[in-house]
Structure formats: C-alpha cells, structure tokens
Amino acid sequence: SGVISLLRPLLLDVAPNIQHTAALALGRLANYNDDLAEAVVKGDILPQLVCSLSEQNRFYKKAAAFVLRAVGKHSPQLAQAIVQCGALEMLVICLEDFDPGVKEAASWALGYIARHNEELSQAVVDAGAVPLLVLCIQEPEIALKRIAASTLSDISKHSPELAQTVVDAGAIAHLAQMILNPDAKLKCQVLSALSQIAKHSVDLAELVVEAEIFPVVLTCLKDSDDCVKKNGATLITEIAKHTPELSQLIVNAGGVAAVIDCIGSCRGTVRLPGIMMLGYVAVHSENLSMAVIVSKGIPPLCACLIEEHEDHIKAAAALALGHIGRHTPEHAAAVAVANVLPTLLAMYMDTHSSGDLQMKATLKNILQKCTYLPALEPLLHDAPPNIMKHIIGQFSKVLPHDSKARRLFVTTGGLKKVQEIKAEPGSLLQEYINTINNCYPEEIVR
Amino acid sequence: DKYCYVFRSADEDRKIEYKAAVKIQSWFRGCRVRAYLRYLNRMVVFIQKWWRGYRSRRYFRKMVETAYFIMKMNFYNEMAVRIQKRWRGYYVRKYIHNYHALKKYLEAVSVNNEIVRNELQEYAEMKENEKKRKDLEQKEKEKKYQARKMHYLLSTEQIAGVYNSPFRKSPDPMELLLRKSKPLSHRWQQICPRPPTFSMPQALPPIGRQKPQGPFRDTAEVLQQRYKPVEPTLQVAASINSLLEKAREEMKWEEWRNRIHDNEFLPFSSYHKNEKYNPSIHRSGKYGQETYGVKHFREVQPKKWVADKDFQTVLPSIVLFEKFGKTYSRAGQIV
C-alpha cells in the first residue's frame, strides 16, 4: 500500500534516527507477509538501502540487514532480487564491522538467502562470505556464534563443492570446539552444520570425524533439549552411512549404545535419525549388525514399531529391523525371538499404512534367513500368499533335517494348516508343500 | 634168349633198383630238408621267443614305472590335500572368519557400551544436579529478597508479627529470615542498575574530620583539592563541529534577515523522476567478479580496427604477473 512509498523518502532523510526507524518499519512489514515483502522489492527500496548501507552508523546497518533478511526469507525469487541489487557485497562488508549486532544481522540475512537453493548459496560464497563467517564463529558472543553456525549449515547443505568451500575455510575445527559449549541452541546449530557438511561424501565425513568429535557427540545425545538430540543423531547417521569403516569407528566408540539409549528415551520424530543410524550401521556387514544386536538394539526398535503413530517412523524402524535380520540365520533368529514378526505382518496387511513396500522387503529379507521355527508358526495362520510362499519355503528347508522340529510342527497344527493351503500345481508353493509332505508318513498326511 | 631175359630182368631190376634208389634218396633228402626246416623253425622260434620276451619285459618295466609314478603322485596328492586342508582351515579361521575374535570383539563392544552408558548416565545426572542446584539457589535468592523487602513484618515485643503467632511453639522460618535480613532501602533499588564504571585501582585515602598530627594541610584545603571541579581546556569544551555550527548559524540568521520572498524554493519536480538506478561496474554483470581488471585490462572493439588484427604487444611478459590469480584455494574464485 501507500505506506511503502511514504517510507521510502524517509530513508533518505538527514536525521539518522528517522532513517533507522524507517528501515525498522520496513523490515517488520516485510517480515510479516510475503506480499508485503514483494511490495518492498517492487517499491525499489533495496537499491537505496544497499547504497546507503556503507556510510551509515551501526543501528542503521542492523535495521537494513533486518529488512534484507525479512525480504529474503519468503521465497527464492525475492532472494534472487536481493542478490541482483548487489546486496551481497554490502552484507559481506557488514560482516567485517566491529559491532557484533551488525555482524549478527548480516549473517542472518545471508543465511536466509542461502537457504533456498544452490545458486543463491553459490552467490553468497562468491561474495566471499565464508571466511568472514568462520571468523564470526570465533567471536565471544553466543548469539553471533549461533547465527553464523546456522548460516554455514545453510550454505553447505546444497552441494559437495559448497561444503568443501566451507571446510577449506577451516570451519570444522571451530565447529568441533563449539560442541562443548553449554548453550543448547548453539549446539543444535553446530551439530546441524557438521551433519550438512558430512553428508555429501566420504572424504568430508572423514574430515569431520578427524576433528575428534567422537566421545563428545555422545554427550550431546544425552542433552535435555530435543533439538540437540535430534541433530546429534543426524550427525552420527550421516557419518555412518558412507562406509563400513566409519560405522566400525562409531561402534568402537560406543556410539551404538548411546543412540539406542537416545531412541529409548525420546518420543516422536526425534527418534527418526537414531533409527536410521541403526539401519545404516547394520546394513554394511554382518559383524556390525551382530554388534547392534549385542548392544540390545532390537527391543527399542520393536517398541518404536508398536508405539509410534507416524507411518514414516514405523517404516524406518521396519527397514532397520530388516537390515539387521537379513545377513545370517542367527541374526534373523535374534530378530524373530523379539516377537516382532507378527507386528510386521499386521502392519503389512493394514491397508491404511503407506509403508507397505518397506514392510514387504523387510519381511522377505528376514524370512529368507529365518530358521527359528517357533517364531514362524504364528505367521502361518495369517499370512497372505506371497509371504506364505517364503514361510513355507523356510519350513521345507528345515523340516527334512530336524526330527524334533517335525514333531513340533505336527503337534502345533502346522501340518494341518499346510494341507489347507491351496496352491497351483507346478508352482513353487506346491513344491514346498510336497517337500513338507514327504517328510511325514502317509497316514499323518491324510 | 637167356641173355634177353637176363638183360630184361636186369634192366627191370635196374629200373626197379634205380627207382628204389631214387625213392630212398628223395626220402633221405626230404628227411634232411625237413630236419633242416625243423632246425630253422626252431631257431626262428627261439629268436622270436627271445625278442618277444624282451619286448614284453620292456613293456612290463614301463607299466611298473607308470604304476609306481601314479602311486607316488597319489601319495603326494594325499599329503598335499592334508596340508592344504590344515592351512585353509587355519587361514579361514584366523583371518577371514575368526569366530573367537569375533566373539571377543562383540563382548568388548558390549563392555564398552556399558561403560559409555554409565558415563552418559553420570553426565546426565550431573546436569540434572546442576540444574536443581541452580533452581534452589534462585529460589533462595528470591526468598531473601522478599524478606528484605518485607522487613516491616518483623515481630516486636508488643505486637507479634504475622509469622510469629503466639500459638506456635517456635517461630516460622520466614520470621527467622526476617530477623537475619538487613532492611532494603529504595535508594539501593535505584542505584543498583548502575552503568559499569571502570573500577579505580585503589581508593583514595579517606579524609578525616580533624587534621592529622604533623605537617599536613588543613582539612578544608584538602577537601578543596580533592573535590576541585574539572576545568576542561578549550579544545575539550568546544564541540567538534563548533566552528562549522557557528558559521552555519551565522549564515542562517543572515538569510533570515535578508530574505524577501517567503515561499520556499522548490526544486524542479520532474528533475528526479526519471532518475534511473545506475548500478556500479561491479553490479552490471552477474554476481561474481567482473573480469575487467582481473582477466583483461583493455577493452577490445574489433569493429573499429583498421587492419583485421589486434596490435601485438612487444614487451615480454613478466613472470611475476603471470602468477597473479593462481591462488591455492577455490574460495577466492579467481582460478
């Protein structure tokens, strides 16, 4: 509305107070709503702000940076408009200012601009912001550290080259030191920055690990703040997912136990990165998944499956269990003993849930290796045909060799159930049924 | 006649004898030849016997050798199999799937996990304790502050205070707090939010009421010296822009005096309307550095050239300047 055109000449007023107040007003308007932010951009205010930023006092700079931040946070197009006006150079100059408030406002604005997509982050990096941000991190004020860390995290999350740039500026060492800081929000941002850096490639993850974060990050998992726990778990997940050696390192440092405790103590989406971490560790090799089983990882995962309401968490827990159970029969037996297979089956057949692909893959993986028959028996009664195929297959592999198991199978009514299954002749199912029937004398089969 | 019969019988006898002799001789010759043939046969058989024996002995020797060789090879194979069996078992068990090492590793992992869990538990407890202690201290501070503010509720000899009812056996803890606390005056409340001053390294020595014994100045003089008002110099006293301000003031008053026309001079209103925003040279390209000044230092306009090629530089390139821009890291983006 007309307010913006009224405010615009006030920006050029002689008295610095008026300029400052006008800028603040514009910033608050733009912050509230993105139509207003677009109006601010269209009203041609940004070039004037940018021009006058260089010679004004620090309150004006803070207010101007606030306006830029408020405009830039709504959408990528607005942020692009800001970049085109040449605001980035000015913001970078603000980053060199003495006053920590100015630096904070400037880095916040840069963070919001860089958050949207990769080109904008590249623009921010090209303006030379990264070394200055690393200097900002070393400043004593906690708010400044927090915001500089969040800006670095926004920059490095888009692509490996950007993350490499951030690493080249020497950010990792400072970020690693700041994990020890008691402030919860700072730890949250620092952990998210490190996890964004580590997620792109093996080398970056190794660099992050070399900064000696390991026993310290585990204390973050015990912090009382949920955000810190979630980001700590995310960091460990991003490191563990690249290679078996990194997962081995994490297991040796006792990370698995810490993550399992963390899963056990939290509720809701905070658990999700921890669950994914267990899945990634278990998928690399059977020794690692045995380590996960030994650290008592399965009961919390089962609890997650049963208690959580959201589908993606359940799907993640099911996937993790599948990865643990699919290596050898012992692993599958460990998973089956925890009585989790009926729950998985129920969830698979539940038509409301959306994670049924994962459930199916999990069930298939576990069942193909499972030789623990008492756990398989309850499944015989409820399973749909494609799962039944696997179950019967397992029975047909084990029963010819084990007489006690045969006896048990008959007494629990499994043989009767098998007879009731109708299968097409010539199909795999029929073959399995024939194998089972051949184990028993004719009278019993009748 | 007799001679004819004698000659005929002699002739026939002679023929008979001749035939007999021929027969005997042929038989004898036959015998001899047969004996000779038999002899030959025997010799040939002998030779063949000898030759065949030789051949078959040779063959037999060869068979024996091969059989021996095969036996040897089987034996060696057996032994090799035993060695390989042992070696493979050892190798697999030690390097590829070391069951005991795996078990030990898993036990070590669980032990380590226990340790980590304990440490984390301690850490969490420590944090909890700290938080609790902080809360407690906060509450104590608040209580003390309240007690100081409500000091007037203290009980006196005549009137028992609110917290010291006569029916109680011993006074309330609040009463005890009130007794302990100093009364809070409002002056403190105002002075408290004081701006932080630079603390003096040492306080000045106090000035007593009376002049101390000895060759000291009078108390009045000392007090005057200590509390002398500051006399700033002219430079400090005058403001920075004082000259400028004075000149401006003068000009303003002159203007006011001499002005005839009261309407303000308005600038040409259409002057500023068409002002376009001229971005600087840094802004006129895409964000990023302009190549002018870095990559090339001359503007080149091929349409204005007289001949069809650019003029050549005659000077040799300077080695130091060739290295410009080739920095190590990609953060500067000159490379």
Side-chain angles (χ1 to χ4, degrees), chain A residues 51-374:
Chain A
C51 290
S52 48
L53 245 180
S54 45
E55 66 254 358
Q56 294 299 340
N57 64 7
R58 58 197 165 113
F59 299 107
Y60 183 74
K61 283 191 196 171
K62 257 197 268 194
F66 172 55
V67 173
L68 290 170
R69 163 171 46 115
V71 169
K73 84 175 181 189
H74 294 287
S75 84
Q77 290 83 17
L78 292 171
Q80 184 75 22
I82 295 186
V83 169
Q84 273 166 348
C85 298
L88 284 179
E89 297 279 338
M90 289 300 136
L91 284 173
V92 167
I93 294 179
C94 282
L95 271 179
E96 293 173 335
D97 200 88
F98 289 114
D99 181 42
V102 173
K103 282 197 258 204
E104 183 184 328
S107 55
W108 211 339
L110 284 170
Y112 275 171
I113 293 177
R115 193 175 286 189
H116 294 290
N117 64 29
E118 194 182 331
E119 285 102 25
L120 292 167
S121 304
Q122 187 64 43
V124 170
V125 168
D126 287 337
V130 174
L132 292 166
L133 284 170
V134 174
L135 279 175
C136 282
I137 285 193
Q138 302 167 23
E139 297 276 334
E141 288 85 18
I142 290 198
L144 181 56
K145 282 204 237 229
R146 214 183 281 161
I147 291 171
S150 94
T151 311
L152 282 174
S153 138
D154 287 330
I155 291 179
S156 48
K157 80 180 176 196
H158 296 287
S159 89
E161 290 83 25
L162 290 167
Q164 187 65 43
T165 319
V166 172
V167 167
D168 283 337
I172 292 191
H174 300 296
L175 288 172
Q177 280 169 357
M178 286 202 287
I179 298 185
L180 298 165
N181 199 302
D183 184 41
K185 286 194 205 136
L186 176 61
K187 271 200 270 206
C188 192
Q189 298 295 345
V190 164
L191 287 170
S192 97
L194 283 171
S195 60
Q196 303 293 355
I197 293 178
K199 83 178 180 193
H200 292 291
S201 83
V202 185
D203 301 314
L204 289 169
E206 279 178 3
L207 276 173
V208 172
V209 168
E210 273 167 27
E212 290 180 30
I213 51 171
F214 252 99
V216 185
V217 167
L218 303 179
T219 57
C220 295
L221 285 175
K222 274 286 184 182
D223 204 280
S224 45
D225 190 31
D226 274 347
C227 181
V228 175
K229 279 197 244 198
K230 188 168 169 196
N231 283 347
T234 319
L235 174 60
I236 302 187
T237 314
E238 303 292 356
I239 293 181
K241 80 178 184 192
H242 292 289
T243 72
E245 284 81 26
L246 284 170
S247 308
Q248 185 80 37
L249 203 121
I250 296 180
V251 168
N252 289 349
V256 176
V259 169
I260 290 174
D261 284 345
C262 179
I263 296 181
S265 60
C266 315
R267 298 276 171 271
T269 42
V270 183
R271 281 172 158 176
L272 185 61
I275 299 176
M276 279 168 49
M277 184 246 169
L278 289 177
Y280 280 131
V281 165
V283 88
H284 285 300
S285 87
E286 48 180 63
N287 298 345
L288 287 171
S289 57
M290 196 44 122
V292 171
I293 295 177
V294 156
S295 328
K296 306 188 191 64
I298 301 189
L301 284 175
C302 304
C304 279
L305 259 185
I306 298 175
E307 297 169 354
E308 289 292 334
H309 302 294
E310 308 207 6
D311 279 337
H312 53 267
I313 304 184
K314 283 207 237 200
L319 264 179
L321 279 169
H323 287 314
I324 294 179
R326 77 171 185 175
H327 295 282
T328 74
E330 282 98 33
H331 296 81
V335 174
V337 160
N339 271 335
V340 76
L341 290 173
T343 333
L344 278 176
L345 196 63
M347 267 192 267
Y348 173 59
M349 304 217 288
D350 179 15
T351 44
H352 294 299
S353 73
S354 58
D356 46 338
L357 275 174
Q358 283 97 326
M359 302 288 177
K360 181 168 175 203
T362 310
L363 276 173
K364 217 168 87 159
N365 284 336
I366 300 181
L367 285 173
Q368 271 170 349
K369 287 282 163 61
C370 186
T371 51
Y372 185 64
L373 294 177

Side-chain angles (χ1 to χ4, degrees), chain A residues 341-420:
Chain A
L341 290 173
T343 333
L344 278 176
L345 196 63
M347 267 192 267
Y348 173 59
M349 304 217 288
D350 179 15
T351 44
H352 294 299
S353 73
S354 58
D356 46 338
L357 275 174
Q358 283 97 326
M359 302 288 177
K360 181 168 175 203
T362 310
L363 276 173
K364 217 168 87 159
N365 284 336
I366 300 181
L367 285 173
Q368 271 170 349
K369 287 282 163 61
C370 186
T371 51
Y372 185 64
L373 294 177
L376 288 181
E377 298 214 19
L379 295 178
L380 256 188
H381 300 285
D382 314 317
N386 44 1
I387 306 284
M388 186 68 87
K389 186 167 63 175
H390 296 292
I391 305 179
I392 305 274
Q394 284 303 111
F395 274 116
S396 70
K397 278 184 214 153
V398 176
L399 285 179
H401 305 287
D402 192 356
S403 59
K404 238 193 291 187
R406 267 180 272 174
R407 221 173 298 149
L408 263 174
F409 190 56
V410 175
T411 48
T412 53
L415 194 56
K416 208 165 59 153
K417 187 72 178 50
V418 167
Q419 304 308 319
E420 287 166 17

